[in-house]
Amino acid sequence: MSRDGARTFAHVLVNTLVANVTTSFLWFALTFWVYLETRSVLATGVVGGAYMLMLALFAMLFGTLVDRHRKRDVLVGSSLATAASFLVAGMLYAVLGPGAIVDMTGPWFWLFSGIVLFGSVVESLRNIALSTLVTLLIPADRRDRANGLVGTVQGLAFIVTSVFSGLAIGQLGMGWTLVIANVLTVCTVVHLLFVRIAEEQPAADADGKRPTVDVRGALAAIALVPGLFALIILTTFNNLVSGVFIALVDPYGLTLFTVEEWGLVFGVASTGFIAGGLVIARWGLGANPLRTMLWVLAAMGVINATFTLRESAWLCIAGIWLFLLIVPAVEAAEQTVIQRVVPFASQGRVFGFAQAFEAAAAPVTAFLVAPIAEFWVIPMMETESGAQRWAWLVGYGDARGIALIFFFAGLVMVVISLAAFGTRSYRVLSDRYRDDAESGVTAG
């Protein structure tokens, strides 16, 4: 990696940190605010599921844009779109007031939430661009470590946003939270104006066709690598289980803690994300990142199944910390494999396809789990017979219904991850990655 490449990557990484902090700050704040105003698990599940659904709908478009344009232009465009969305949301809040917006039976709640979600989802465009910039700026033998640094940045964003989102909602309210998000978004745009990335204009497609959403191009690139589609399927199953976490972790946490305390808890637990990213940045993912990924997914399933078995604040904190500790390994492993085996010119579409496919799984689970939790499992566990039937497993407390769902979701993740070791796709893709690494072949 040249000195200029390292400096450029550092600038983009810092800018991404601020951008991720901003969007996550407002996203966390919106989730906290909605639950505190409505006390509805269904409402938080819908909001969380809507985010993943929008991510799935736009990911292929984002991947196509990344391949068709210079990466700096993509970063700037993403930040401008987010800034415009947050500004409109702030104006809407100022004009209508919190009373009208928080009414789920009216249109303003859905319009306001949709605008904030759109601004947050558009920001994910830069994450696809960042994955391709690792290929552009970092040598192949150090990309797993660079992906670990990306995970560290995400962990820092989690800490800042989770702590300050809770404090902002608890102490300042949604109005000032929107002001802070708008100011930080403008800062990322200004900084990007001074960042230069050495990259030629991407070449036109060989067949001369330039569809707006190039699904065919993504599928063609994936088909060239046996086993790659199976990797995407595996991470999709992982996201099905993650949808349970998205839908229920905030209602569970806010049962044990105040909103300010919950923000601090997530901030402390997010140090695990930083530690996990730093471990990868220092030691990498081993000779076979795919094998590492499967073991990590199995461990995530065990943690997901056990961190709520008793209604204990310390068990909850420890479980989330361990869960976040190993999350960067999953993300870095998938990115490292794709960066090795997929040509650079197609990586945006492949990353976009993977993101769309994987993100589509989480809202399915979130939309299913939230109403099941609210209207069936939670009421069942609040009855004397239900509590006694499952007390041997999850104990007694106010959130035992949510704990029961977490337990079975975690078991599903363990079974799927361990079963993947016996598949042909795992063996083929592992052999391809090893052969390319030994021969010095790199897609970048």
Side-chain angles (χ1 to χ4, degrees), residues 268-283:
V268 171
S270 296
T271 60
F273 212 131
I274 297 174
L278 290 175
V279 167
I280 299 169
R282 175 64 179 85
W283 287 288

Side-chain angles (χ1 to χ4, degrees), residues 53-68 121 124-125 128 211-222 232 346-359:
L53 181 60
M54 291 176 67
L55 192 63
L57 291 174
F58 283 98
M60 270 307 306
L61 171 62
F62 292 165
T64 304
L65 290 173
V66 168
D67 280 344
R68 298 272 169 76
V121 168
S124 71
L125 172 58
I128 297 176
T212 303
V213 180
D214 191 7
V215 179
R216 180 178 297 180
L219 290 174
I222 292 170
I232 296 173
S346 304
Q347 283 183 13
R349 280 164 287 183
V350 172
F351 279 120
F353 181 87
Q355 187 178 92
F357 213 80
E358 295 157 16

Side-chain angles (χ1 to χ4, degrees), residues 41-46 247-248 365-376 378:
V41 173
L42 179 61
T44 57
V46 168
L248 300 180
T365 311
F367 288 141
L368 287 175
V369 166
I372 289 173
E374 181 152 332
F375 299 122
W376 178 46
I378 292 176

Side-chain angles (χ1 to χ4, degrees), residues 201-413:
Q201 179 66 32
D205 292 350
D207 58 7
K209 298 179 180 179
R210 295 178 65 87
T212 303
V213 180
D214 191 7
V215 179
R216 180 178 297 180
L219 290 174
I222 292 170
L224 291 174
V225 184
L228 184 56
F229 189 74
L231 171 63
I232 296 173
I233 292 292
L234 174 65
T235 50
T236 299
F237 275 113
N238 173 52
N239 277 23
L240 281 169
V241 179
S242 298
V244 176
F245 194 86
I246 292 170
L248 300 180
V249 69
D250 284 325
Y252 183 79
L254 291 170
T255 301
L256 299 179
F257 307 96
T258 66
V259 63
E260 293 91 345
E261 290 171 345
W262 181 232
L264 290 171
V265 165
F266 236 109
V268 171
S270 296
T271 60
F273 212 131
I274 297 174
L278 290 175
V279 167
I280 299 169
R282 175 64 179 85
W283 287 288
L285 292 164
N288 186 349
L290 187 56
R291 181 177 59 238
T292 303
M293 176 182 173
L294 292 183
W295 282 118
V296 168
L297 286 174
M300 288 174 65
V302 172
I303 296 167
N304 199 65
T306 57
F307 86 105
T308 60
L309 285 184
R310 290 297 180 270
E311 198 155 288
S312 163
W314 291 111
L315 180 61
C316 177
I317 294 169
I320 295 176
W321 189 87
L322 290 172
F323 189 90
L324 294 178
L325 175 71
I326 57 181
V327 164
V330 178
E331 301 293 333
E334 182 183 21
Q335 291 170 0
T336 301
V337 171
I338 291 175
Q339 289 158 354
R340 168 70 70 174
V341 301
V342 175
F344 176 71
S346 304
Q347 283 183 13
R349 280 164 287 183
V350 172
F351 279 120
F353 181 87
Q355 187 178 92
F357 213 80
E358 295 157 16
V364 172
T365 311
F367 288 141
L368 287 175
V369 166
I372 289 173
E374 181 152 332
F375 299 122
W376 178 46
V377 179
I378 292 176
M380 182 268 292
M381 291 297 289
E382 289 175 346
T383 65
E384 184 176 351
S385 61
Q388 291 179 349
R389 183 182 304 122
W390 293 102
W392 65 272
L393 178 63
V394 296
Y396 293 95
D398 294 331
R400 298 302 83 203
I402 295 176
L404 192 64
I405 295 174
F406 275 133
F407 175 77
F408 285 107
L411 289 187
V412 170
M413 184 185 293

Side-chain angles (χ1 to χ4, degrees), residues 172-230:
L172 301 176
M174 194 65 187
W176 279 106
T177 301
L178 285 162
V179 171
I180 295 169
N182 274 281
V183 171
L184 290 175
T185 303
V186 171
C187 290
T188 64
V189 176
V190 173
H191 175 250
L192 281 173
L193 298 178
F194 297 94
V195 176
R196 294 291 180 267
I197 299 175
E199 180 189 6
E200 297 181 358
Q201 179 66 32
D205 292 350
D207 58 7
K209 298 179 180 179
R210 295 178 65 87
T212 303
V213 180
D214 191 7
V215 179
R216 180 178 297 180
L219 290 174
I222 292 170
L224 291 174
V225 184
L228 184 56
F229 189 74

